[in-house]
Structure formats: C-alpha cells, structure tokens
C-alpha cells in the first residue's frame, strides 16, 4: 500500500487501485459525477464500506447511492483521476 499527501487528501493505492473519500450532495452532483466517469478509461466504482458498491458510470447506481444515504462513500478507480473528481473529494 502506498500513501501520498496531496494537500490534505491522502491518496491510497491498494493493489493498483486509487481510492478517495467523496461526498455527493445534490442530484446534480450525481449526474455530473456520472458524466465525468463515463468519459474516463478503466473501472470506476463507488463503495460504501465493504458491503455495497456500484458502477460510477451508471446514473441509476450513483442515484441509488445518493438516495440510500450511503455513509463513507469512496470512489475506487484503476487510474488516478484526482483532478477530475477533486470537487467531490473530502478530507
């Protein structure tokens, strides 16, 4: 596992995956997150703890995550797209 400090955000690379804690506050945020995700290469998943995960390229999945008020929402991806998701990443 590799940790690097980028501002206040800790980047974790586990098994070649990049993980960031994120928040989706509005339905517009959910739509924008999906729009960003669909333009990027590789697998991008939203996870809540170890129990739930959905494809971040699926509007239905992201809306479901928002509606169910998942706690500790994390985005997990094959490539480091920190800049693309910076608006949603929290400390």
């Amino acid at each position: 596992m590799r940790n690097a400090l980028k501002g206040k955000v800790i980047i974790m690379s586990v098994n070649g995956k990049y993980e960031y804690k994120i928040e989706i506050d509005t339905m517009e945020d959910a739509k924008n997150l999906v729009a960003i995700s669909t333009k990027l290469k590789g697998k991008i998943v939203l996870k809540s703890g170890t129990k739930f995960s959905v494809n971040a390229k699926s509007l239905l999945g992201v809306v479901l995550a928002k509606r169910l008020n998942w706690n500790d929402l994390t985005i997990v991806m094959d490539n480091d797209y920190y800049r693309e998701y910076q608006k949603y990443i929290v400390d």
Side-chain angles (χ1 to χ4, degrees), residues 15-20 36-47 53-58 74-81 85:
N15 296 328
K17 305 282 185 195
Y18 293 87
E19 298 186 19
Y20 298 99
I36 292 167
S37 299
T38 56
K39 294 177 184 176
L40 302 174
K41 294 181 180 181
K43 187 174 181 180
I44 304 172
V45 177
L46 292 181
K47 295 176 86 176
S53 67
V54 294
N55 185 341
K57 297 179 181 184
S58 163
T74 304
I75 192 162
V76 181
M77 54 199 130
D78 292 335
N79 302 302
D80 188 9
Y81 292 121
Y85 294 107

Side-chain angles (χ1 to χ4, degrees), residues 15-65:
N15 296 328
K17 305 282 185 195
Y18 293 87
E19 298 186 19
Y20 298 99
K21 183 174 179 182
I22 65 167
E23 287 183 359
I24 302 171
D25 296 323
T26 65
M27 194 59 66
E28 194 63 31
D29 285 345
K31 291 177 185 176
N32 289 336
L33 188 126
V34 170
I36 292 167
S37 299
T38 56
K39 294 177 184 176
L40 302 174
K41 294 181 180 181
K43 187 174 181 180
I44 304 172
V45 177
L46 292 181
K47 295 176 86 176
S48 178
T50 58
K51 293 183 180 182
F52 303 106
S53 67
V54 294
N55 185 341
K57 297 179 181 184
S58 163
L59 182 59
L60 181 60
V62 174
V63 169
L64 178 65

